[in-house]
Amino acid sequence: MTAYAGVDVGSVMAKAVILSGDEILGQAIMPTVVSAEKSGIRVLEQALEAAKLKREAIAYILATGYGRITASYAQGTLTEIGCHAKGVHFVNPEVHLLIDIGGQDCKVIKIGQWGEVEDFVMNDKCAAGTGRFFDVLARVFEVTLNDL
């Protein structure tokens, strides 16, 4: 079995997933702390623990998100825009438009037939915590973020 890891260190949350083929072996999510690199390492360790694997078992680690530039633990990096396009295409190749409302910015991505980024637009100023706003709304309405 060959396993791969993806780590996304965003401005608000750090996420990691361990994959083998189409199967998710482990995943984790946690708030991003002051050090983006430490957040990436911690969330990767949590995902490895969930997968019951050691880091040596991972053939390749890819980092994305604003913290990708600090990811000394990764063999490669890719922008979150590129990751979104590839991920959406993998899950549903019929989807060709993605709207990402993040903690600090918003993006609209046009996805080509092979999962490539055809075009994208992004706000050029801080979104004033748009993603955080939705998190607060969910708590106010006492629903999960997914339900909101």
Side-chain angles (χ1 to χ4, degrees):
M1 169 189 69
T2 304
Y4 302 91
V7 178
D8 176 3
V9 180
S11 61
V12 177
M13 300 298 282
K15 291 82 63 181
V17 64
I18 310 296
L19 299 169
S20 180
D22 293 348
E23 184 183 359
I24 295 174
L25 304 177
Q27 58 189 334
I29 185 168
M30 61 175 276
T32 301
V33 297
V34 175
S35 167
E37 183 166 28
K38 285 182 182 173
S39 295
I41 291 168
R42 286 182 189 160
V43 77
L44 175 61
E45 288 170 349
Q46 289 178 8
L48 286 166
E49 186 176 314
K52 297 179 177 58
L53 293 174
K54 298 208 180 295
R55 193 183 299 193
E56 301 79 45
I58 303 300
Y60 192 85
I61 302 171
L62 182 80
T64 192
Y66 94 94
R68 73 185 178 278
I69 59 173
T70 67
S72 62
Y73 52 86
Q75 285 80 33
T77 63
L78 184 63
T79 68
E80 57 267 33
I81 293 167
C83 286
H84 285 334
K86 297 274 185 223
V88 165
H89 181 75
F90 178 80
V91 172
N92 186 343
E94 300 300 314
V95 174
H96 296 284
L97 183 71
L98 173 75
I99 299 171
D100 170 23
I101 300 175
Q104 291 189 9
D105 60 32
C106 300
K107 305 170 194 73
V108 178
I109 306 165
K110 184 177 179 186
I111 303 167
Q113 71 176 20
W114 307 111
E116 75 280 12
V117 175
E118 283 191 353
D119 199 7
F120 74 93
V121 291
M122 183 174 161
N123 61 328
D124 61 353
K125 304 230 185 314
C126 176
T130 305
R132 179 68 75 197
F133 171 73
F134 284 118
D135 186 44
V136 170
L137 271 182
R139 276 190 253 134
V140 167
F141 289 117
E142 297 179 344
V143 298
T144 68
L145 192 54
N146 286 341
D147 288 341
L148 181 68

